[in-house]
Amino acid sequence: MNQDVPYKTYLTEAELPGAWYNLRADMKTKPAPLLNPGTGKPMTAEELNHVFCEELVKQELDNDTPFIPIPQEVRDFYKMFRPSPLVRAYFLEQALGTPAHIYYKFEGNNTSGSHKLNSAVAQAYYAKAQGLKGVTTETGAGQWGTALSMACAFFKLDCKVFMVKCSYEQKPFRREVMRTYGADVTPSPSMETQVGRKINAEHPGTTGSLGCAISEAVEAAVTREGYRYVLGSVLSQVLLHQSIIGLETHAALKKLGVKPDVIIGCAGGGSNLGGLIAPFMGEKLRGEADYRIVAVEPASCPSFTRGRYAYDFCDTGRVCPLAKMYTLGHDFIPSASHAGGLRYHGMSSVLSELYDEGFIEAKAVEQTSVFQAAEQFARTEGILPAPESSHAIRVAIDEALRCKAEGKAENIVFGLTGTGYFDLTAYQSFNDGKMSDYIPTDEELAANFAKMPTL
Amino acid sequence: MNQDVPYKTYLTEAELPGAWYNLRADMKTKPAPLLNPGTGKPMTAEELNHVFCEELVKQELDNDTPFIPIPQEVRDFYKMFRPSPLVRAYFLEQALGTPAHIYYKFEGNNTSGSHKLNSAVAQAYYAKAQGLKGVTTETGAGQWGTALSMACAFFKLDCKVFMVKCSYEQKPFRREVMRTYGADVTPSPSMETQVGRKINAEHPGTTGSLGCAISEAVEAAVTREGYRYVLGSVLSQVLLHQSIIGLETHAALKKLGVKPDVIIGCAGGGSNLGGLIAPFMGEKLRGEADYRIVAVEPASCPSFTRGRYAYDFCDTGRVCPLAKMYTLGHDFIPSASHAGGLRYHGMSSVLSELYDEGFIEAKAVEQTSVFQAAEQFARTEGILPAPESSHAIRVAIDEALRCKAEGKAENIVFGLTGTGYFDLTAYQSFNDGKMSDYIPTDEELAANFAKMPTL
């Protein structure tokens, strides 16, 4: 193996970023504010403080401060799993016979198995600092719930997780990791909340959705003394915390003297993509550098490529504020054949605005081709990727093959957000040749668009 | 957090060891040779070449060469997951309130989830270099089978795994990872081999054992053209490859200026313990330094603490050579209540000889206390440990508490061999308060000793 650069690049602990980067500070058009669904007016800090921790509300509403210091306790926790490696995919390049140089930032080397821990520890820290008893949240595929359980165990906070019922049943091991970290895990929709009982009554036998679980978690937070709600994606505060991914990637590439041509991330609610691209997008917005930035989403949940840019509810139960985002409608639930995460109906307001302004490209890919990429990656690079991350792998491979056809030695960087240890039911379906693809029809999408609020 | 040293220490790629260390070269009394069960004479290279790859047979029989170069292809593969971090367990120390300094070498950051990959890639490489079509092996808890599947996928070798039937049924996800890497996985005892059919006939409904699966894998190798058998523990060649763990640990501690007082490893067949302690034991044998070296085994499978040091069969089906080792008898199968690995009836001949000469201490621990340690570790250090590794955690915590009681700031180093992602059935049983302990009676052990060969 001829190496230009090390196979893995680690920053030292001293080189760990001391502050998160707030991309909004460099956006000329700021993301649209959250609205109070009752009044149609922007949510105030006071209103949001009922649901979220105070410091996190400040971060949510702060469109101006470019760098926000990372508290020492969070930096200490980060040292358990950060800096994460930036890997040069020499073996994948070799297998593809491409002149492209492929790099990936691997966020899966922690027990929660994904990048979600970056924001979980920040949110748990601020909850503890505010003197709260506990937090509530929802989880779908389970990455976020696991990450939050770990963070809460560390800071000795109660952690109540509403887990989408079909995941709760299909992923008992995910549930068990959360329990090992002391979390209380409830299948959603449950009978514990008003909104859960209502959804169960209206849709008997439903196996739940992320939108329902959010509604339940928010209700559980606001009706309990000393609890707040926390969310693992979509919100601007989450993108802020996840900027650690991009800051480390940026610093490592700089050390290697490598300038990326294209940066690729999978996109569900936007937590990973928004974090990975943050400092690069900042340079792009400030006119200091240019990069192609590609969001990859499932063809079965295509919010960027087929959604509308409009105000919509963040949850099925309509208990949350309205957000302006690319959305498939708050009632949209991906087909049962869809494996893994990236199943949220909307997309971060920050990323939605940037996409609308043309700073981001988007591609939708079908899951069979995603798992083909996952298998090739696993066999060559030795890491079993999460289905979510494999969306980015699919497009990274496609880009590398384009470079091969064009004879170009471009630098391709993608985010490998997590591992697939808890997604083996999906792998089994792929290994058995039983995986299918699903693309929603225009009629299905139109039916959901029709139910969106009109503002 | 006040830090004396970084939380994690990584060697650079340039600092990766270029050769494995062969501990046998420094042993005054060499480990007893493998014997041909038919003749009672030492196995020759020619005899062993029918079962094992030629280069590996050379390594198995080489008691003299202290350093054996690591082939470039293996070093390249190692870069995918090595160097592994040496972690200072600051958070665990804090939780225990101990003046001791605790370090662990974490081998779980690869898809196979354990240190087994260190030897799997070496064995697959030599098989490929010899022009073989494929290899056969057995797996119990699944770590070794997964590691070998990954290595075979990389070198494009067929991989046939006999998986102990109870694990095959209880760990479908382990099986699915191996399938994703293209391995052919068969529950053992199977009807595919003569020895499997015999064991099935004699013990109808048996859920298998590691000893049975070894017999089947060996038979499958010797009866197929272009196949050889490979083994993930016990053999001296495996300890040689695993010395990479100890060499990296030794180099990292040297960089930090830290001299360990006690080095702790879990011990099943001895692959991790033998690898972790290798260079330290070398110094001890050469009289250059002294360390306490502690092997930790399950009280339910106590080969060191209650076994006999004698020649015994390596497998239930008696198709393998005889090895002199601490053994519970080749018919010993741990109680069904025993979770995780460390269930082999014998122990590496190298370690057995060193233990017999008093260079190693051994402790047996019960699994409930092991999972208590695992839970505490997971919640403070953020890594969900494998049940096997948690045996070492248990004793590391006990040693740290002893240091607290004695007011001593000793340096404790232990091997964290892997992660527990595929052991969540065991964690669930612990979380539900349903885990039980089992210690074999003297009568049970005596019955198995009685069946051992007399030499």
Side-chain angles (χ1 to χ4, degrees):
Chain A
M1 193 168 74
N2 290 322
Q3 293 189 220
D4 319 323
V5 300
Y7 187 79
K8 278 178 288 183
T9 302
Y10 284 103
L11 301 178
T12 65
E13 278 180 21
E15 292 168 325
L16 263 173
W20 293 302
Y21 167 59
N22 182 5
L23 177 55
R24 288 166 284 165
D26 283 310
M27 290 170 70
K28 277 179 198 151
T29 307
K30 305 295 179 190
L34 296 169
L35 298 186
N36 181 320
T39 64
K41 287 187 180 158
M43 293 288 290
T44 62
E46 206 189 335
E47 289 171 320
L48 288 168
N49 284 342
H50 292 293
V51 180
F52 300 107
C53 303
E54 287 169 23
E55 198 59 35
L56 293 166
V57 168
K58 276 189 206 157
Q59 295 180 356
E60 189 65 29
L61 297 177
D62 186 343
N63 287 337
D64 304 305
T65 313
F67 288 95
I68 294 177
I70 306 174
Q72 188 58 47
E73 290 82 349
V74 176
R75 295 187 68 189
D76 284 345
F77 188 100
Y78 275 173
K79 287 177 195 161
M80 288 203 278
F81 67 107
R82 308 206 67 82
S84 71
L86 180 75
V87 187
R88 171 74 182 273
Y90 283 111
F91 295 114
L92 181 61
E93 291 172 18
Q94 204 171 39
L96 298 172
T98 179
H101 294 188
I102 308 175
Y103 295 84
Y104 57 92
K105 179 70 169 168
F106 181 39
E107 292 289 316
N109 268 352
N110 69 73
T111 282
S112 76
S114 83
H115 68 293
K116 296 284 184 183
L117 197 53
N118 296 324
S119 184
V121 56
Q123 297 194 46
Y125 166 76
Y126 289 120
K128 188 68 181 182
Q130 194 176 322
L132 297 176
K133 276 189 215 161
V135 292
T136 70
T137 199
E138 75 294 328
T139 201
Q143 291 179 342
W144 169 246
T146 312
L148 189 68
S149 303
M150 289 175 66
C152 286
F154 188 82
F155 289 113
K156 299 194 174 16
L157 275 173
D158 281 354
C159 181
K160 174 137 186 94
V161 181
F162 289 90
M163 187 171 187
V164 177
K165 196 179 275 176
C166 64
S167 289
Y168 183 90
E169 285 160 5
Q170 286 169 13
K171 295 191 165 184
F173 290 170
R174 267 284 179 208
R175 185 183 74 208
E176 222 47 56
V177 180
M178 291 186 254
R179 286 185 68 211
T180 301
Y181 281 93
D184 170 21
V185 189
T186 306
S188 165
S190 75
M191 299 304 278
E192 290 184 19
T193 65
Q194 223 171 0
V195 66
R197 288 188 292 271
K198 184 160 175 276
I199 293 168
N200 270 318
E202 286 172 6
H203 307 277
T206 177
T207 55
S209 73
L210 216 44
C212 303
I214 293 174
S215 303
E216 287 205 87
V218 171
E219 183 186 321
V222 298
T223 55
R224 284 170 194 227
E225 186 66 29
Y227 281 76
R228 290 294 185 282
Y229 168 71
V230 296
L231 180 64
S233 191
V234 184
L235 294 176
S236 301
Q237 60 186 264
V238 176
L239 268 69
L240 173 71
H241 307 145
Q242 294 295 356
S243 70
I244 190 88
I245 306 173
L247 292 166
E248 282 186 14
T249 305
H250 195 273
L253 287 170
K254 199 173 166 188
K255 248 181 146 172
L256 299 176
V258 171
K259 185 187 171 295
D261 295 289
V262 50
I263 301 166
I264 301 163
C266 61
S271 68
N272 154 67
L273 182 71
L276 173 67
I277 67 173
F280 303 98
M281 182 60 83
E283 291 181 316
K284 195 164 163 165
L285 294 174
R286 295 190 304 270
E288 295 166 9
D290 197 19
Y291 310 100
R292 280 181 61 211
I293 290 176
V294 184
V296 190
E297 60 185 16
S300 54
C301 191
S303 44
F304 262 157
T305 52
R306 296 175 69 198
R308 292 201 180 158
Y309 189 34
Y311 267 104
D312 193 9
F313 287 100
C314 293
D315 63 326
T316 315
R318 306 180 186 193
V319 302
C320 291
L322 297 165
K324 189 177 177 193
M325 54 184 179
Y326 276 84
T327 174
L328 298 165
H330 59 276
D331 274 327
F332 180 84
I333 296 179
S335 153
S337 66
H338 172 92
L342 309 180
R343 47 174 66 235
Y344 185 63
H345 66 273
M347 180 66 72
S348 144
S349 291
V350 172
L351 296 179
S352 292
E353 179 58 30
L354 292 167
Y355 177 64
D356 199 55
E357 294 181 39
F359 290 109
I360 298 176
E361 303 168 36
K363 290 188 192 296
V365 291
E366 294 178 52
Q367 70 178 355
T368 307
S369 75
V370 166
F371 274 81
Q372 280 161 355
E375 184 189 88
Q376 180 168 28
F377 185 80
R379 292 186 183 188
T380 52
E381 288 289 319
I383 295 172
L384 186 80
E388 297 81 6
S389 326
S390 304
H391 287 70
I393 298 175
R394 171 73 275 161
V395 171
I397 289 176
D398 292 344
E399 289 288 329
L401 293 174
R402 174 188 59 73
C403 287
K404 183 181 181 177
E406 297 175 358
K408 285 184 184 164
E410 290 183 18
N411 292 315
I412 299 170
V413 176
F414 73 90
L416 187 71
T417 56
T419 54
Y421 299 127
F422 295 102
D423 301 287
L424 284 156
T425 306
Y427 272 99
Q428 180 167 11
S429 141
F430 176 74
N431 291 338
D432 290 342
K434 290 181 182 162
M435 178 166 277
S436 62
D437 292 321
Y438 182 82
I439 300 180
T441 63
D442 289 338
E443 291 69 30
E444 274 176 80
L445 294 184
N448 283 300
F449 291 145
K451 291 186 235 163
M452 280 166 53
T454 46
L455 280 180
Chain B
M1 195 167 75
N2 290 321
Q3 294 189 219
D4 318 324
V5 301
Y7 188 78
K8 278 179 288 185
T9 302
Y10 284 103
L11 301 179
T12 65
E13 278 180 23
E15 292 168 324
L16 264 172
W20 293 301
Y21 167 59
N22 183 5
L23 178 54
R24 287 165 285 164
D26 283 310
M27 290 170 70
K28 277 179 199 154
T29 307
K30 305 296 180 189
L34 296 169
L35 298 186
N36 181 320
T39 64
K41 288 187 181 158
M43 293 288 290
T44 63
E46 206 189 335
E47 288 172 321
L48 288 168
N49 284 343
H50 292 293
V51 181
F52 299 108
C53 303
E54 287 169 23
E55 197 60 34
L56 292 166
V57 169
K58 276 189 208 157
Q59 294 179 359
E60 190 64 29
L61 298 178
D62 186 342
N63 286 336
D64 305 304
T65 313
F67 287 96
I68 294 178
I70 305 174
Q72 189 57 46
E73 290 83 348
V74 176
R75 295 187 67 188
D76 283 345
F77 188 100
Y78 276 171
K79 288 178 194 160
M80 289 203 278
F81 67 106
R82 309 207 66 82
S84 71
L86 180 75
V87 187
R88 171 74 182 272
Y90 284 111
F91 296 114
L92 181 61
E93 290 171 19
Q94 204 170 40
L96 298 173
T98 178
H101 293 186
I102 308 175
Y103 295 84
Y104 57 92
K105 179 71 169 168
F106 180 40
E107 292 288 316
N109 267 351
N110 70 72
T111 282
S112 77
S114 83
H115 69 292
K116 295 283 184 184
L117 197 52
N118 296 325
S119 184
V121 56
Q123 297 195 47
Y125 167 76
Y126 289 119
K128 187 69 181 182
Q130 194 178 322
L132 297 176
K133 277 189 215 162
V135 292
T136 70
T137 199
E138 76 294 328
T139 200
Q143 291 179 341
W144 168 247
T146 312
L148 189 68
S149 304
M150 290 176 66
C152 286
F154 189 83
F155 289 114
K156 298 193 172 23
L157 274 174
D158 282 354
C159 181
K160 175 138 187 93
V161 181
F162 289 89
M163 187 171 187
V164 177
K165 195 179 276 178
C166 64
S167 289
Y168 183 89
E169 285 160 4
Q170 286 169 13
K171 294 192 167 183
F173 290 171
R174 267 284 179 207
R175 184 183 74 208
E176 222 47 57
V177 180
M178 291 186 253
R179 285 185 67 210
T180 301
Y181 281 93
D184 170 21
V185 188
T186 306
S188 166
S190 75
M191 298 305 277
E192 289 184 20
T193 64
Q194 223 171 359
V195 65
R197 288 189 292 271
K198 184 162 175 278
I199 293 168
N200 270 317
E202 287 172 5
H203 306 277
T206 176
T207 55
S209 73
L210 215 45
C212 303
I214 294 175
S215 303
E216 286 206 86
V218 171
E219 183 186 320
V222 299
T223 55
R224 284 170 193 226
E225 186 65 31
Y227 281 76
R228 290 294 185 281
Y229 168 70
V230 295
L231 179 65
S233 192
V234 184
L235 294 175
S236 300
Q237 61 187 262
V238 176
L239 268 68
L240 173 72
H241 307 146
Q242 294 296 357
S243 70
I244 190 89
I245 307 172
L247 291 166
E248 282 186 14
T249 305
H250 195 273
L253 287 170
K254 199 172 167 190
K255 249 181 146 172
L256 299 177
V258 172
K259 185 186 172 294
D261 294 289
V262 50
I263 302 167
I264 302 164
C266 62
S271 68
N272 154 67
L273 182 71
L276 173 68
I277 67 173
F280 301 97
M281 182 61 83
E283 290 181 317
K284 196 165 162 164
L285 294 175
R286 296 190 304 269
E288 295 166 9
D290 197 21
Y291 310 100
R292 279 182 61 211
I293 290 176
V294 184
V296 190
E297 60 185 16
S300 53
C301 191
S303 43
F304 262 158
T305 51
R306 296 176 69 199
R308 293 203 179 158
Y309 189 34
Y311 267 103
D312 194 8
F313 287 102
C314 293
D315 63 326
T316 314
R318 305 179 186 195
V319 302
C320 290
L322 297 166
K324 189 177 177 193
M325 54 186 177
Y326 274 84
T327 174
L328 297 165
H330 59 276
D331 274 326
F332 180 84
I333 296 179
S335 152
S337 66
H338 172 93
L342 309 181
R343 49 172 65 238
Y344 185 64
H345 66 274
M347 180 65 71
S348 145
S349 291
V350 172
L351 296 180
S352 291
E353 179 58 30
L354 291 168
Y355 177 63
D356 199 56
E357 294 181 40
F359 290 108
I360 298 176
E361 302 169 35
K363 290 188 192 296
V365 292
E366 293 179 52
Q367 69 178 355
T368 306
S369 75
V370 166
F371 275 80
Q372 281 162 353
E375 184 189 88
Q376 180 169 28
F377 185 80
R379 292 186 183 188
T380 52
E381 289 289 319
I383 295 171
L384 186 79
E388 296 82 4
S389 325
S390 305
H391 286 70
I393 298 174
R394 172 73 275 160
V395 171
I397 290 176
D398 292 345
E399 289 286 331
L401 293 174
R402 175 188 57 75
C403 287
K404 184 180 180 177
E406 297 175 358
K408 286 185 184 165
E410 292 184 15
N411 291 315
I412 299 170
V413 177
F414 72 91
L416 187 71
T417 56
T419 55
Y421 299 128
F422 294 103
D423 301 287
L424 284 155
T425 305
Y427 271 98
Q428 180 167 12
S429 140
F430 176 74
N431 292 337
D432 290 342
K434 289 180 182 162
M435 179 166 275
S436 62
D437 293 320
Y438 181 81
I439 301 179
T441 62
D442 289 338
E443 291 68 31
E444 276 177 79
L445 294 183
N448 283 299
F449 291 145
K451 291 186 233 164
M452 280 166 53
T454 45
L455 281 180

